[in-house]
Every structure is written in structure tokens, then in C-alpha cells.
Amino acid sequence: MKPLKLTMRAFGPYKNEEVIDFTELQNNRLFVISGSTGAGKTTIFDGICFALFGFGSGQDRKDTKMMRSDFAEDHVHTAVELIFEIHGKIYRVLRQLPHVKEGRKSATGEKYELFEIRDGQELPVVERQRITDINQKLEDIIGLSYDQFNQIVMLPQGEFRKLLTSQSDNKEEILRKIFKTNRYGELTQRLEEKKRQAEQKLNEARLLKNSYIAQIEGALPKRESLLFTVLNQNSNIYQIQDALDEEVQYYQQKIKKDQKSYDEAAGKYKEKYEFIVAKRNLNERIDAYEKKVQKLHEIEQQKPYFEQINNEYQAAIRASRIKPLNEQCLTLHEQKQQQQQRLQVVLQQLENAIQQLTVAKEIFQNELLKQNERDASLQQVLELQKLLPLFEQVEKQTFIVQALQNEVNQALTSFKQIEQQLQQQKEKMTKLNKQIEQLEIRNEQLNHAMEQQIHLREVVNTFTTYNELTKKVNLLKEQYINASQEYDAAKTAYDLEEIKWLNNQAAILAASLVPGSPCPVCGSTEHITLDRQHVDVIDEKALKAMKTNLSAAEQNKYTAEANVNASIAHLNQYQNELERLNAPIDEQQQFIDKFNEINEYVKQLQVESEQLAQYKKQLKQLQAMIEQQDLQRKQVEDIYRQKQQQLIKENTVLDQYKSLIPSHFQQLSQVKQALVEAEQNKNNLQQRWESAQKQLQQAEKNQATNEEALKHTEQQLKLLEENLEKAKEEFKQSMAAAGFANYKQFEASIRSESEQQLLQQQYVQYTNELHALTIQVEEEGKLLKGEERVDLKLQEQQLAELEAVREKAHETLNFSKECERNCIDFSEKLDRIVDEIYQLEEVSNQIVDLYNLLRGQNSKKISFERYVQMGYLEQITEAANIRLRNLSNGQYYLQCSDRQESHGRQSGLSLDVYDTYTGQSRDVKSLSGGEKFNASLCLALGMADVIQSFQGNVKIDTMFIDEGFGSLDEESLMKAIDTLIDLQKSGRMIGVISHVSELKAAMPAILQVEKLKEGYSKTSIIVK
């Protein structure tokens, strides 16, 4: 990933839009980021990291709420846009944070974008511009997570040393985030769950075994045997299984005895049962025979009734054969009556038709005599119809004249209104011109007033900053006085204790001197007699602690003094600025009052200026309106004249039409009314004439139709009478042949088909039942001849006693078999559960051993995840030693330490440094500050190499380093610079934040961050 252009807006110390174009570095891939403390150098790293991942660089800068600039105006949103290149493609990412504007309750302005720039066109990379989709896509494009990026690309201040000097637990967390080794830790967690499940299954199996053993005593009858002895003695499972086998043998022998007893009881019961069944069947046959004899007697007594039914059935059959002839006679008789009724109706209709014909002839003769009257009415209608078009022309012309008169009146009214409006608009324009002239005179003073306002605003802002700095200087002076007092107190206390300690040491030394022996200090053999007594015992550790406190107090004093001097210098700058602005400090209130006055004056002039613009706009609109109204007035005047001339012309035409109308018709409605009355008279006459003709024709037709109907009806009636006589004679002959004496006997014998079937079924059913029962009685009588009924009460009592004996023997046998099955079942269950417990113990032991091994419960105190991380760390140290060898002149090599951590913590990720000068290894924490920086830098570069080797799609084209070079001596600094130069030769862009002048001088390009006097910052790129 190589940044091309970074744009920050209202971000950190950058108030406005700040654009850093990295292409201005040209071919210089190595550059330094320089600026004063707090100017915003690290904020550039924050901007890049925020654009790519949504967080600032470093763990202490991840909070996005702190990124908004305190200098930003309310309407400006905090946003970062980054254009970068990777794998030959160019992308643009934008992140804009929401914020709550003044006067609103909710935050607005949130926006996220990700596009690929191809041939000058922006193509969306994600389907929807959502933050989750953009974050995932960016991580896929770059190939690095946020934690990986901060360890190998963006090296924040103090962050990249953590991998070198932190404890194993902290290194484990760092490596877990970078190499995503958490899956190995999750493997341990899954094993823990499997261990828990295996132990649970094992416990369940053991509980089931104990449950089986407890169930044995309740499932078997208690007796004196080995089984109940071992159960009472809590013996082991194998003893219980042997006792169960012995119990099975006992019940097998008992089952044989019980089976023999059951067979004997069952045989006796069967013999008695078969005897009783045979005698019970005999008694039932005798009872059935007696019932059949009784029923046969009852059926024979019903024979006359069923003979009568048979006679009715035979008569119904004979009647059904001649029934059609009877129905034919009835039908013909009914048709004869209907025809006689129709003859009467036809005679009445013929008489009516003759009367109607007589009336129709009289009406026809009367209407025939009115022909002259019909002709006169037709002539009157034609004359009146000729007058209609003339009246219509007169009425139409009258409407035209009235419409023209209305238009003339309207045109005259519109002309007068426009004249009046035009006069009002001209008066309004005159008044508006006077107001514009007055406001233009006032508007000439606005520019001068605004210049005064800008000057006074600058003065007031400078006064405000000067007052704040004055308060700050006073506060810092108080802090300096306190720090000085604390330092003086610490110095006095330390000097006193130091004198005591020296005196104490001298007394100790004097006490150890021997006359004639050389003094270890001066070498003299002659010693002045000194007081060898020392009362005060001074602890050297306490003295060193006081020395440390003194150094800290001294540092606080110097820091406070520097802060005071810096603030005073800053205050002097603003004092000089006030002098440049000709603003004495003692006149501050006067300037503020003037600024307030000029503000009000400018506001008033601005309002008047806006009003002037509005008046000019109104004047322009008014002039256009007057011109339009003047044109409209001319148009209305022309229309009025044209309509007046057209009205005169149409009035002349109207007078000509009126002269042609007869005097007794003054209106068109009178003509129409006369025409309606004439047409009604004509139509009435014509309708009566046509009606008379139709009535005559219809009456003649009706008379002829009725005469023909009378003739036809008389013929039909005669034919029906002849057919009826023939049918009656044929029916009488058939009835006599069927054996019926008269018609009443025939009629009584008639039955429907279903009734005939019912009579037949009743008679046949009776004869069949009589015949069958007679045969059964004869046969049963022969078979039961000599047999008598047997009393079975005593035999059944004996059978019940034998059944009780048999059931008891059967229960005893079944109980013995059940006991045998229970013994075998418990034996098999115990065999299975013992095998299951053995297998579960084997599996559980394997899982527990593997779980303990993976979680680090071993002699090395190393978990499986840490073992994998050790492999990564070894590769990182090998890659780091390639550069560290050069930076340390071959003195130092990093190596993984095999020492164990204290307090039982897991080991394996500690780092030692091997010193080739001494041939010894020691903890990396023992390195000096500069040596630690070199080792950390090499470790970060080594990690970048390892990650690129594991992830082929990752291409690290850029590296940013924040501080650390100030701890290097001149030689180490030059070698570090050489290392960076080698890196940029490989194509990487290297950006370094540093205050070291030698580093600045060695860099071909500088990204300068300047903090302005207003407090916010600006950037610029300087290429040497």
C-alpha cells in the first residue's frame, strides 16, 4: 500500500481542509516529518490509519470522538480522504464523522465511500457504501488487519517496542492479533468441552452401574444365597456377576420342578373341562329342540292368514293385466269432457267476433268521411314550418348583437381599469426611486465600516489570546515557584543526609585503620586519631531514593521554568502584535466597545444594503410591469374600437330579418306553439284513420278464424265419443274373463307393483319357514331320542377348584422364569456397562492428557498456541538479526529465551540478546535506549518480511516510524539511516517523525508541519 494523496478536514489540529500530496515527493521515497511538539505530526499517521481502518494509530488514539478539531467551524464536518495505490490499482476511501450542529439534537453528516479510480473514472468497489462492507473490503485489498498494520507499516510512538520488551503474556496477545493464532486457543477450548463431556458420560455410566446393582435386590426375592451376601458386603462388580451366574443356575432347576407341577394341574383341569363342555352342549341342544317344536306349533296356526294374503296377491295380478284398458277408458272420457268445454268457448268467441266486425265497419265509414279535414291540417303544418328558419335567424342574430354589446362594455371597463392601474404604478415607481437614492448614499459607507470591523476583530481576538496567555503565565509562575520550593527542600534534605552519610563512612573507615598500615584513601601510614564513634546509621538505599527524588524535583523545576519562558515568549509575540496594531493594552475596553459599536453599525448597513438590493429588484420588476400594462392598454383600446364597429354592422342585419316576419307572430315561441298544435291535430286525424282500417281488418280475420275453429272442434268431439264406446265394451269383456263380478271388485283388487311384491314375499317367506322348521324338528327328534338334561352345578364347582390349582402353579412357574430373566438381564447389563466404563475411561484419559498438553500443563509450561507463536517469533528474530547485525556492528543477536516465567506463568515467548563481545545472553530489557530502538526497528522489519512470506497477496510498500532516533549516538544514527535507505531502495516509501537535526539533514525530503499563531496547523513538502 502506497499513499498518493491525504486530505484531512477539521481533523485534529488541522482546522480547514489540509491536503498532503505525496506525489510531490517525486522520486524521494525517504522523507522526514518535522515540526514542533503538538503541531500534528502523529495526526498524519492517525489520518492514514483512520481512512483505512476507522481508528487512529496506536492503542491510546483509537477513540474517534477525540479526532474532531477544536478549531473547526460548526458547519464543517470532520473527514479524511485517502487516495492510495496497491497491486497496480488506485483506490479512494473517504470517512466523514457525524457531529451535532448548534441548535440540533442529533448528529448528522455521516458518510463513507470506497471507489477504484480507473482511467479517470470512479468505480464503486462495494455494492453498498456501508461501513461494514467498506472495512471488510479494505482489509481484503490491503491484506492486513488493523493490528498487523500498526506493527509492520504504521509504527506509533512507543507501540512497536512492546513486542521486544513485554512479557510473554503480552507478546502472546500481540502475535495472536497479527498471525491470528486464536484458532489454536479455540482448539484447546473445544478440547476442554470434550473433556467435560467425556467426564460427564463416564460419571453417567458409573451412576448407571450403581443403579443396576441397587435394582438387583428389589427385582429378586430375598433368600439365603451368595448374591444377597455379596450385595450386603458392597463387593466388587466381578463378585456380583459370579453370584448372579449362581442365582441363574438355582432358578433354572426351580423352573423344571414348577413346570412339572403345572403340567399335572393343567391335565386334570383339561379332562374335567372337556366333560363339562360335552354335557353343556347336550343341554343346549335339548333346549333348542323344545323351542323349535313350540315355534312350529305357532306357525301352523298362522296358515289361514297367509292363505288370504296369497289370494289377494293372485287377484292383484289379474287386475294389473286389465288395468291399462280401464286407464284408457278414463283417459278418453276425460278428453271428451275437455273437448265439450272447448266447443262452448269457441261458440262464445265466434259471437264476439261478429259483434266486433259490426262496430269496426261503422268506425271505418266515419273516418273515411274526414279526408278533407286531414288534408287541411297537413297544409297548415307546412306553412308554419316555413316560418321557423326565419325566426331562428332573428334569434341567432339577436344573440350575436347582445354578445357584441357585452364585449364592448367589458372592453371599455378593462380600458378604464388599466388606465387607473398604470397611473398607480407610475406613482409607486416615483416613490421607490426616491428611497433607492437615499439608500445608495448610505451604502457607500459600508466598505469603510467593514474594514474597520476586520481591524477591530483582529485587535479584540489578539486581546483575548493575550489575556488567556497572561493567566497561563501567572499559573505557570506559581507552578515554577512551587517546583523551586520543592527542589530547595529536597536539596537541603539531601545535602544534610549526604553529609551525615559521608561522616558515617569516614568514621567507619577510621575505625578500620591500623597504625603503620597504609590508608586506602591517601596511602599514608600515619593516622590522626579520630573519633571512632558514629551514632547515625545512614541507609545507602534511602540516600539513593532521596537522590532520585532530588533529580525528579530538579527536572520538575527546569520543566516549569521552560514552560514559563515559553509562555512568556509567546505572550511577548502577542504583545508585539498589539503594538503593530496600535492597540495599547490599557485601552482594551475602549477597543472592545468600538468593536461592538462597529458590529452593530455594519449589521445595520448590511440590512440596508440588502434592502437596497431588494428595492432595485422591485424597481426593475415595476418598470417591466408598467411597460407591459401600457402595451396592454393599447391592445384593449384597439379591441374596443373593433367591437364597436362590428356591433353596428350586426344590428343592421337584425333589423332586416325582423321586417320579414308577420305581425301577428312576434316571437319564435308563438310560432313553435302553433306548429305543435297543428302537428298534434294532423297526427290525431291520421292515427284515427289508420286505427279504423286496422280494426276492420282484424275483426274480419277474427270472424273467419273462429268459424274454422268451431268446425274443427265439432269433428274432434264426434271422434272421441266413438272411441270411448269401443274402449268400454273391450274393458267389460276383459273384466269378466279375469273373474271379476263387477267394477267395485276389480277396483278393490288393484295394488301397486311394490304392494304386489310385498304380498308375494310375505307368503313365500312363511311357506319356506314352515317347511324348514318341520324338517329340523323331525331330524332333532330322531337324534335326541332317549337323551335327558344333566345338572352341571357340582361339576362346574370342581372345575373352578382345578382351575385355581392350575393358575397358582402357572404363577409360580412364571415367577421363576421372570427371576431367571432378571438375573440374566442384570448380568448382561453389568457386562455392557463395565465395558462402556472401561472405554470411557480410556477416552477420557486421552482427552485429559491432550487437553493438559495443549493448555500448557507440561514441564515446559508452553501451550499449543504459544508453541505455534514461538515458531513465528523464531522466524521474526531470524529476519530481524539480518539487519541488527549491521546496526550493532555484529555485537548483538536476538534469540528466543528458554527460561520459565515466574509465578507459574506460561513461558516460551521471552527474548534474550546474545552479546558476541562477552559470549553471554541476557534479557533484552538490559539494552540501552538506543539499542532497544535498533532492536525494535529490526524486529518490526523482520515481522514485515515474515508476514509477506506467509501472505502472498500482501505488499508492504510503505512504512511510517514515529520518534525513537533521538536515543541513538552518531554512529548508530548513521547506520539506522543506512538501513532506511536500503529499505527505500527496495521500493518502499519510508516516513519518519523525528526532531534529530542530523536525521533531517540526511533526508532528501521534508514534510513540514507548522503550528500557526492561531493554534491550528498547516503542512508543506520541501524537496532538497
Side-chain angles (χ1 to χ4, degrees):
M1 191 281 299
K2 181 182 295 183
L4 301 179
K5 186 177 181 181
L6 176 65
T7 303
M8 298 177 288
R9 184 170 59 249
F11 190 79
Y14 302 103
K15 174 183 178 181
N16 302 314
E17 184 173 272
E18 190 66 27
V19 180
I20 302 175
D21 191 351
F22 291 98
T23 59
E24 294 182 6
L25 295 171
Q26 301 174 7
N27 294 326
N28 300 303
R29 298 189 184 92
L30 186 60
F31 64 96
V32 66
I33 303 174
S34 179
S36 60
T37 301
K41 302 184 294 297
T42 305
T43 305
I44 297 174
F45 291 0
D46 291 337
I48 295 174
C49 204
F50 174 71
L52 294 175
F53 298 99
F55 300 106
S57 61
Q59 295 297 322
D60 57 344
R61 305 173 72 89
K62 291 183 69 173
D63 187 6
T64 56
K65 295 180 181 178
M66 59 182 286
M67 293 181 178
R68 180 165 176 80
S69 175
D70 294 334
F71 304 99
E73 297 179 1
D74 186 59
H75 68 278
V76 180
H77 290 283
T78 300
V80 176
E81 180 185 76
L82 176 65
I83 300 176
F84 64 94
E85 180 184 0
I86 187 169
H87 301 307
K89 296 182 179 180
I90 299 177
Y91 297 92
R92 180 181 71 85
V93 58
L94 168 69
R95 293 181 191 266
Q96 181 170 293
L97 294 176
H99 80 278
V100 181
K101 292 185 179 181
E102 185 177 356
R104 296 188 179 181
K105 296 182 179 180
S106 58
T108 58
E110 188 173 13
K111 185 179 181 182
Y112 304 96
E113 293 179 354
L114 177 60
F115 292 92
E116 179 185 352
I117 301 176
R118 189 187 303 168
D119 299 330
Q121 300 291 327
E122 288 192 347
L123 305 176
V125 181
V126 292
E127 293 183 1
R128 292 182 292 178
Q129 300 289 346
R130 298 188 310 178
I131 184 170
T132 53
D133 297 344
I134 290 175
N135 289 344
Q136 183 61 46
K137 191 64 179 179
L138 280 171
E139 189 167 334
D140 294 341
I141 292 172
I142 300 172
L144 298 173
S145 65
Y146 171 75
D147 297 298
Q148 291 173 331
F149 190 83
N150 272 343
Q151 284 291 334
I152 62 177
V153 176
M154 189 76 61
L155 306 182
Q157 190 171 9
E159 289 284 332
F160 68 107
R161 294 192 184 185
K162 290 181 179 179
L163 185 62
L164 178 71
T165 59
S166 61
Q167 294 181 346
S168 292
D169 291 341
N170 295 333
K171 286 190 181 74
E172 181 180 36
E173 186 63 28
I174 294 171
L175 294 173
R176 178 181 295 127
K177 292 179 180 178
I178 295 173
F179 293 102
K180 299 180 180 178
T181 61
N182 54 308
R183 57 184 180 274
Y184 302 109
E186 293 172 357
L187 178 63
T188 305
Q189 294 176 0
R190 288 197 293 270
L191 272 175
E192 183 180 9
E193 178 62 21
K194 285 190 175 183
K195 178 180 78 72
R196 187 189 63 77
Q197 293 175 357
E199 290 175 347
Q200 182 178 355
K201 288 181 180 179
L202 180 59
N203 292 332
E204 289 175 355
R206 288 171 176 168
L207 289 173
L208 185 59
K209 180 198 71 173
N210 295 334
S211 175
Y212 288 158
I213 294 172
Q215 292 174 16
I216 292 174
E217 192 169 356
L220 297 176
K222 194 169 184 181
R223 67 185 189 88
E224 294 183 359
S225 64
L226 177 61
L227 177 61
F228 289 96
T229 302
V230 296
L231 288 176
N232 293 331
Q233 293 177 354
N234 295 325
S235 302
N236 59 45
I237 188 67
Y238 302 106
Q239 292 174 330
I240 294 173
Q241 287 177 311
D242 293 340
L244 279 171
D245 293 340
E246 182 179 326
E247 201 74 6
V248 169
Q249 294 175 4
Y250 165 77
Y251 281 109
Q252 288 175 349
Q253 295 296 326
K254 189 173 185 301
I255 287 170
K256 293 179 181 179
K257 296 178 181 179
D258 294 341
Q259 184 68 44
K260 184 177 180 181
S261 300
Y262 171 73
D263 292 341
E264 294 175 354
K268 294 179 180 179
Y269 171 80
K270 183 179 181 182
E271 181 181 355
K272 179 61 70 174
Y273 176 76
E274 291 174 352
F275 172 79
I276 291 175
V277 168
K279 297 302 179 181
R280 185 181 292 124
N281 290 337
L282 177 61
N283 292 341
E284 290 174 354
R285 287 175 62 191
I286 293 172
D287 292 339
Y289 172 74
E290 292 176 352
K291 289 179 181 178
K292 287 178 182 179
V293 171
Q294 179 66 27
K295 188 174 183 181
L296 178 60
H297 178 69
E298 293 174 355
I299 290 175
E300 288 176 344
Q301 290 179 349
Q302 296 176 359
K303 189 173 183 179
Y305 169 74
F306 283 100
E307 287 296 335
Q308 179 64 31
I309 289 177
N310 186 38
N311 293 334
E312 290 181 6
Y313 169 70
Q314 296 299 329
I317 293 297
R318 295 195 305 273
S320 63
R321 291 172 184 165
I322 62 175
K323 184 179 179 182
L325 296 175
N326 180 51
E327 291 176 352
Q328 182 182 6
C329 292
L330 294 175
T331 303
L332 289 172
H333 181 71
E334 184 178 355
Q335 290 176 355
K336 176 185 174 183
Q337 291 178 345
Q338 291 175 355
Q339 200 66 20
Q340 289 175 346
Q341 293 175 359
R342 178 169 177 78
L343 179 61
Q344 296 299 323
V345 172
V346 171
L347 289 172
Q348 183 65 37
Q349 290 177 349
L350 179 60
E351 184 179 353
N352 294 336
I354 294 171
Q355 293 176 359
Q356 290 175 359
L357 180 60
T358 303
V359 173
K361 286 180 179 181
E362 292 177 359
I363 294 172
F364 178 78
Q365 291 298 326
N366 293 333
E367 293 297 324
L368 184 62
L369 297 175
K370 294 180 180 180
Q371 182 62 41
N372 294 331
E373 187 178 353
R374 288 195 292 273
D375 294 340
S377 66
L378 177 60
Q379 185 63 32
Q380 184 182 5
V381 168
L382 293 175
E383 291 176 356
L384 290 172
Q385 286 178 343
K386 291 179 181 179
L387 292 176
L388 283 177
L390 186 59
F391 263 103
E392 289 177 353
Q393 288 293 334
V394 171
E395 193 172 77
K396 183 178 179 181
Q397 191 65 26
T398 303
F399 178 77
I400 291 172
V401 169
Q402 291 176 353
L404 285 172
Q405 184 64 49
N406 292 334
E407 290 178 359
V408 169
N409 296 336
Q410 290 177 359
L412 181 61
T413 303
S414 298
F415 178 75
K416 292 180 179 179
Q417 289 177 351
I418 293 172
E419 280 283 351
Q420 185 179 359
Q421 291 176 359
L422 188 61
Q423 185 64 29
Q424 293 175 354
Q425 296 293 351
K426 288 181 179 180
E427 293 175 358
K428 188 175 181 181
M429 186 175 68
T430 303
K431 182 179 179 181
L432 194 61
N433 278 324
K434 292 181 181 179
Q435 292 176 339
I436 290 172
E437 290 176 2
Q438 296 174 357
L439 290 175
E440 284 179 344
I441 296 172
R442 293 275 295 172
N443 192 48
E444 293 176 356
Q445 304 173 8
L446 178 61
N447 293 332
H448 179 67
M450 290 181 69
E451 291 176 358
Q452 290 182 344
Q453 183 188 33
I454 293 170
H455 173 72
L456 290 173
R457 180 184 290 111
E458 186 177 4
V459 171
V460 171
N461 290 339
T462 305
F463 270 126
T464 302
T465 307
Y466 178 80
N467 293 334
E468 292 175 354
L469 286 173
T470 301
K471 294 178 181 178
K472 183 178 180 181
V473 167
N474 294 333
L475 180 62
L476 291 174
K477 284 181 178 179
E478 293 178 2
Q479 293 176 356
Y480 172 69
I481 293 172
N482 294 333
S484 297
Q485 292 174 352
E486 291 176 359
Y487 170 73
D488 293 340
K491 184 73 168 62
T492 302
Y494 175 76
D495 290 344
L496 180 61
E497 292 299 318
E498 186 180 28
I499 291 172
K500 290 180 181 180
W501 184 78
L502 291 174
N503 292 334
N504 194 22
Q505 293 298 315
I508 294 172
L509 180 61
S512 63
L513 291 178
V514 178
S517 298
C519 175
V521 178
C522 62
S524 175
T525 56
E526 296 180 359
H527 311 296
I528 302 173
T529 302
L530 297 174
D531 185 6
R532 302 192 180 196
Q533 301 295 325
H534 54 279
V535 178
D536 295 330
V537 179
I538 305 303
D539 186 6
E540 186 177 0
K541 291 183 179 180
L543 186 64
K544 288 182 179 180
M546 294 181 69
K547 177 65 174 178
T548 302
N549 293 336
L550 178 62
S551 299
E554 185 178 16
Q555 183 64 35
N556 292 337
K557 175 185 175 183
Y558 292 151
T559 301
E561 185 178 6
N563 291 337
V564 170
N565 293 333
S567 298
I568 291 174
H570 201 188
L571 183 65
N572 291 333
Q573 291 178 0
Y574 278 93
Q575 190 171 358
N576 295 332
E577 182 67 16
L578 289 172
E579 292 176 357
R580 184 185 67 79
L581 295 172
N582 296 322
I585 296 174
D586 54 353
E587 297 179 5
Q588 177 177 351
Q589 188 59 43
Q590 290 89 326
F591 277 97
I592 293 174
D593 295 339
K594 289 180 181 179
F595 177 66
N596 294 332
E597 291 174 1
I598 199 67
N599 277 343
E600 295 297 327
Y601 183 59
V602 168
K603 286 181 182 178
Q604 183 179 355
L605 290 178
Q606 287 175 342
V607 171
E608 292 177 354
S609 178
E610 292 175 358
Q611 191 174 9
L612 175 62
Q614 187 67 27
Y615 282 171
K616 287 182 178 180
K617 184 178 179 181
Q618 292 177 4
L619 178 62
K620 188 175 180 181
Q621 294 174 350
L622 196 58
Q623 290 173 345
M625 190 180 300
I626 290 173
E627 292 176 0
Q628 185 178 1
Q629 287 180 345
D630 189 43
L631 178 62
Q632 189 177 3
R633 179 181 63 80
K634 293 178 181 179
Q635 292 175 350
V636 170
E637 187 177 5
D638 292 340
I639 291 171
Y640 170 72
R641 291 173 182 173
Q642 292 174 3
K643 296 295 181 183
Q644 184 70 25
Q645 294 175 359
Q646 190 175 0
L647 177 61
I648 295 170
K649 181 180 177 181
E650 296 297 334
N651 267 325
T652 303
V653 174
L654 178 61
D655 293 338
Q656 291 175 357
Y657 283 144
K658 287 182 177 180
S659 63
L660 300 175
I661 298 174
S663 58
H664 60 279
F665 287 125
Q666 298 297 325
Q667 295 180 355
L668 177 61
S669 60
Q670 295 175 345
V671 177
K672 288 182 177 180
Q673 181 64 30
L675 179 60
V676 169
E677 292 174 354
E679 285 180 344
Q680 287 178 352
N681 184 38
K682 178 182 76 69
N683 292 335
N684 290 335
L685 292 172
Q686 186 64 28
Q687 287 175 0
R688 287 198 296 270
W689 167 241
E690 291 175 355
S691 176
Q693 290 176 334
K694 290 180 180 179
Q695 286 179 3
L696 179 60
Q697 293 174 358
Q698 186 65 36
E700 291 175 348
K701 182 179 179 181
N702 289 341
Q703 182 179 356
T705 301
N706 287 321
E707 288 175 350
E708 181 66 26
L710 176 63
K711 181 179 178 181
H712 178 74
T713 303
E714 289 175 345
Q715 291 175 355
Q716 290 292 327
L717 180 60
K718 184 178 180 180
L719 180 62
L720 285 173
E721 288 176 347
E722 292 175 356
N723 291 336
L724 179 59
E725 288 300 325
K726 291 179 182 179
K728 284 181 178 181
E729 186 62 29
E730 184 180 0
F731 173 71
K732 289 178 180 179
Q733 293 175 1
S734 299
M735 186 174 63
F740 294 109
N742 50 46
Y743 184 78
K744 289 183 178 181
Q745 187 180 4
F746 162 75
E747 191 176 18
S749 299
I750 294 175
R751 298 286 189 276
S752 65
E753 185 175 354
S754 59
E755 290 174 340
Q756 292 175 16
Q757 291 177 356
L758 179 61
L759 291 171
Q760 183 185 17
Q761 289 175 0
Q762 288 177 351
Y763 182 73
V764 171
Q765 184 177 359
Y766 169 75
T767 56
N768 291 338
E769 185 179 4
L770 178 62
H771 177 71
L773 194 57
T774 302
I775 294 173
Q776 290 176 5
V777 168
E778 291 177 357
E779 291 178 354
E780 286 292 326
K782 292 178 182 180
L783 293 174
L784 294 175
K785 187 176 181 180
E787 297 289 345
E788 295 181 357
R789 187 179 284 105
V790 180
D791 188 3
L792 296 177
K793 291 184 179 179
L794 180 60
Q795 300 296 331
E796 289 176 350
Q797 184 177 358
Q798 293 174 356
L799 180 64
E801 293 174 355
L802 291 173
E803 184 180 11
V805 173
R806 187 199 65 171
E807 290 299 325
K808 185 175 181 181
H810 189 257
E811 290 177 1
T812 303
L813 176 62
N814 288 340
F815 182 73
S816 298
K817 289 181 178 180
E818 183 180 0
C819 291
E820 180 195 20
R821 284 195 301 271
N822 289 338
C823 292
I824 295 172
D825 184 46
F826 280 117
S827 180
E828 292 174 351
K829 286 181 178 178
L830 291 175
D831 288 340
R832 287 195 300 270
I833 200 64
V834 167
D835 292 340
E836 184 179 353
I837 289 172
Y838 176 76
Q839 293 174 3
L840 289 174
E841 286 177 344
E842 289 291 321
V843 172
S844 178
N845 291 335
Q846 292 175 2
I847 293 174
V848 170
D849 293 342
L850 184 59
Y851 168 70
N852 289 331
L853 179 65
L854 293 186
R855 73 190 183 106
Q857 293 298 319
N858 49 58
S859 59
K860 298 292 186 179
K861 296 291 183 180
I862 297 174
S863 65
F864 181 52
E865 181 183 7
R866 185 161 293 190
Y867 177 76
V868 174
Q869 291 175 347
M870 288 169 61
Y872 286 122
L873 188 60
E874 287 179 358
Q875 296 181 57
I876 292 170
T877 54
E878 289 176 3
N881 285 331
I882 296 174
R883 295 182 178 88
L884 185 60
R885 182 187 303 112
N886 179 52
L887 288 178
S888 64
N889 292 325
Q891 180 180 359
Y892 294 125
Y893 292 89
L894 294 175
Q895 60 184 14
C896 295
S897 175
D898 57 356
R899 67 178 181 275
Q900 292 190 358
E901 298 282 352
S902 59
H903 304 295
R905 291 195 299 267
Q906 291 190 15
S907 307
L909 296 180
S910 299
L911 286 177
D912 285 345
V913 60
Y914 178 75
D915 191 340
T916 57
Y917 292 177
T918 63
Q920 300 293 326
S921 296
R922 51 193 172 92
D923 196 332
V924 292
K925 296 178 182 177
S926 63
L927 293 173
S928 66
E931 291 170 341
K932 286 180 181 176
F933 174 78
N934 285 336
S936 300
L937 178 62
C938 293
L939 204 61
L941 297 175
M943 183 182 295
D945 296 339
V946 171
I947 290 178
Q948 285 191 102
S949 67
F950 276 99
Q951 296 175 251
N953 64 327
V954 176
K955 186 177 181 182
I956 303 174
D957 296 324
T958 307
M959 177 173 283
F960 294 98
I961 304 171
D962 192 353
E963 300 295 352
F965 293 93
S967 59
L968 303 179
D969 57 25
E970 184 177 357
E971 181 182 0
S972 299
L973 179 61
M974 290 301 103
K975 289 186 177 182
I977 293 173
D978 292 339
T979 300
L980 297 177
I981 291 173
D982 291 338
L983 283 175
Q984 65 94 22
K985 285 180 181 179
S986 64
R988 291 188 187 179
M989 175 188 287
I990 310 296
V992 179
I993 293 178
S994 180
H995 297 282
V996 180
S997 57
E998 291 85 349
L999 188 63
K1000 294 181 186 178
M1003 294 294 180
I1006 299 174
L1007 175 54
Q1008 186 68 38
V1009 182
E1010 180 183 3
K1011 187 173 184 180
L1012 304 180
K1013 62 182 179 180
E1014 289 84 0
Y1016 54 89
S1017 301
K1018 300 285 289 182
T1019 63
S1020 60
I1021 293 178
I1022 303 172
V1023 179
K1024 299 180 181 179

